[in-house]
Amino acid sequence: MRISVGEVQTGLLRHSAPLSSREVYQLLDGIGPGATELAERPIAYARSSATLAGVDCAVEAGAGRRLRAVGTVEGRVSLIGNHVVQGVASTVLQRGQGSDRQPWPHYLSRPGVVELLGRFPSGDVVGDPLSVADSLALGAASNRLLGAAQSVSHLDRRPPLRTARGWLRWAHVEREGGTQVRFVLQADGIRTLEVRGAEAFDVRTFAADVALHDWLLTTLLDLVRRSPIGVLPPAEAVAQLQPAIEHLLHLWLPNARGGLAGREMWDGLDQLAGFGRQWSSLVQRVRDVLALAVVSATLPV
């Protein structure tokens, strides 16, 4: 059984406009040695090379037991549309050989793998993989990556709109049989995504895509709620919504890089969470306000 865990933090880059290709490369080169993936279609996308962070801590294994977790966490920074940035931290959990900790060269030779040492409960390697992700402080790792991207010198620190940071914690348990997907909005604002099944599946790309679209939906919903629709003249409501129209709406493109397996997974999740239906409803409301503002401007005074 293979278990992967990770966390993704998403935000709008602290810059007034999307970066140029040269600026994107400069930003990612400051995170790691160059970009490992650059694409323009179907949407501009860039990803840094991997960085590694060592971990050595205790994690809950279920049944009241604790295991020692030793290994490395892989971190990357991604840019979508040259304007939305994500800090991504993830690792694969595996049983260690025996219960003794190995020298660090052993773990460095297996990048992005954390070995669990100790007495294992029956059944799964760990009882709750999402709690293991929390114990490994993957959120702190993704936060550092996002902070590093937001701190590069050539950003003008003038984002076109204020947005909150999105935070998704995910786990993937590979197993035979049917696939189950569970997405939860927790009270603390963190989203959790748990996938069980789907052995041949790029869960990291899928989780980052879910995090991006949840952030887009949450951001647009917040802007619509705070706009004076129905209170002030339509033109004033449009003025507050204009940054979203210019910088966010065109970024909605689920499963841009996930392939057929990702499409099936996204469709299953969307049936449960209703991302697409809510996004379409919000976009239509923005367009209605825009149309009303145009009509109002053409009416005689």
Side-chain angles (χ1 to χ4, degrees):
M1 179 181 296
R2 177 185 171 98
I3 299 177
S4 305
V5 295
E7 300 210 14
V8 186
Q9 294 196 29
T10 307
L12 188 67
L13 204 61
R14 294 173 187 164
H15 199 64
S16 55
L19 299 181
S20 66
S21 297
R22 180 179 61 84
E23 290 171 328
V24 167
Y25 189 85
Q26 287 178 340
L27 186 150
L28 296 181
D29 194 48
I31 304 298
T36 59
E37 186 176 348
L38 292 168
E40 290 294 334
R41 294 180 178 85
I43 190 172
Y45 175 81
R47 187 176 69 167
S48 73
S49 56
T51 62
L52 296 177
V55 296
D56 185 345
C57 62
V59 299
E60 295 292 337
R65 294 179 178 172
R66 294 171 67 83
L67 299 173
R68 186 176 184 180
V70 188
T72 57
V73 170
E74 179 183 291
R76 295 180 186 267
V77 169
S78 300
L79 281 172
I80 303 94
N82 295 354
H83 209 178
V84 175
V85 60
Q86 291 186 315
V88 182
S90 62
T91 194
V92 176
L93 304 178
Q94 294 184 358
R95 288 178 183 253
Q97 297 298 320
S99 58
D100 294 330
R101 183 188 183 282
Q102 301 296 316
W104 269 116
H106 167 79
Y107 302 105
L108 293 175
S109 69
R110 309 180 70 197
V113 173
V114 167
E115 295 184 2
L116 302 177
L117 310 174
R119 295 180 59 192
F120 290 85
S122 59
D124 291 345
V125 175
V126 292
D128 181 4
L130 287 171
S131 69
V132 174
D134 188 24
S135 299
L136 292 175
L138 298 182
S142 60
N143 182 62
R144 285 194 300 270
L145 290 163
L146 195 59
Q150 295 282 28
S151 301
V152 298
S153 60
H154 61 266
L155 300 183
D156 61 21
R157 307 295 189 271
R158 293 188 291 109
L161 66 162
R162 292 183 177 275
T163 64
R165 181 175 295 191
W167 191 331
L168 174 77
R169 179 177 299 146
W170 61 264
H172 179 212
V173 180
E174 292 186 9
R175 67 180 186 187
E176 297 179 355
T179 299
Q180 297 177 335
V181 182
R182 186 167 182 260
F183 178 83
V184 178
L185 280 67
Q186 296 187 342
D188 56 6
I190 297 178
R191 276 69 166 153
T192 60
L193 174 70
E194 188 169 3
V195 181
R196 291 181 177 268
E199 294 183 26
F201 175 58
D202 186 356
V203 65
R204 298 182 189 186
T205 296
F206 177 68
D209 200 41
V210 172
L212 168 66
H213 288 83
D214 174 70
W215 178 84
L216 287 170
L217 179 58
T218 302
T219 301
L220 183 59
L221 180 61
D222 183 59
L223 289 171
V224 169
R225 284 173 173 170
R226 291 189 286 110
S227 67
I229 297 176
V231 178
L232 297 179
E236 296 188 35
V238 168
Q240 291 198 23
L241 294 171
Q242 182 175 345
I245 297 172
E246 294 178 345
H247 298 279
L248 296 183
L249 298 191
H250 66 287
L251 298 178
W252 187 269
L253 193 61
N255 195 50
R257 300 177 308 282
L260 180 59
R263 169 55 60 190
E264 294 175 351
M265 197 68 65
W266 176 269
D267 289 345
L269 174 64
D270 201 23
Q271 288 181 5
L272 298 174
F275 286 142
R277 295 190 300 274
Q278 189 172 16
W279 177 263
S280 297
S281 176
L282 286 171
V283 171
Q284 186 58 54
R285 190 175 186 191
V286 170
R287 289 173 176 167
D288 289 343
V289 174
L290 181 59
L292 186 58
V294 172
V295 171
S296 300
T298 61
L299 292 175
V301 178

